[in-house]
Amino acid sequence: MAKPGNTGLGRIIRATFYSIQGLRSAWRHEAAFRQELILMLVLTPLAFVVGQGLTQQLLLIMVGWLVVIVEVLNSAIEAVVDRIGAELHELSGRAKDLGSAAVFLALALNLVLWLGMAGRNLLHLW
């Protein structure tokens, strides 16, 4: 249910502000986010070298940025778990491990796609 007065252009402006605030927070507090963002800033132009045609290029870019998106979600999970308390709890550990697993899977998907396309398009392996 929407909050009263939280509609239209004002809602979009506030949502944009909160999103920028989240990106700044991720940059400031999350080393993994910084590393993955820098990697994607390098890989994005390389997608136009590795990918043959717009579809492949966009796929390489999208799967790369997926890593950054999943990292932001993982950081959010970690922040909420840490906010709840510092004591060890099985569910807290599981939540953090699942978030980490999601980042790992996104990175693995990224690696497989980049290696596959580079192998096919640049090295003509298959």
Side-chain angles (χ1 to χ4, degrees), residues 16-101:
T16 301
F17 172 77
Y18 297 140
S19 297
I20 292 169
Q21 192 173 312
L23 291 170
R24 284 182 180 155
S25 176
W27 180 265
R28 191 171 324 132
H29 301 287
E30 300 295 332
F33 173 81
R34 289 190 300 272
Q35 293 165 352
E36 292 159 356
L37 183 63
I38 290 168
L39 177 65
M40 286 319 305
L41 292 174
V42 171
L43 289 181
T44 295
L46 284 178
F48 295 99
V49 174
V50 174
Q52 288 183 347
L54 184 61
T55 302
Q56 286 188 5
Q57 294 162 348
L58 290 176
L59 186 59
L60 288 169
I61 291 168
M62 287 170 41
V63 76
W65 284 102
L66 177 67
V67 173
V68 177
I69 294 166
V70 174
E71 183 60 50
V72 169
L73 294 172
N74 180 47
S75 296
I77 291 168
E78 289 178 354
V80 169
V81 168
D82 291 346
R83 164 66 174 88
I84 292 171
E87 71 278 353
L88 294 178
H89 191 280
E90 178 188 350
L91 293 176
S92 296
R94 189 182 316 163
K96 286 186 169 191
D97 290 347
L98 288 168
S100 179

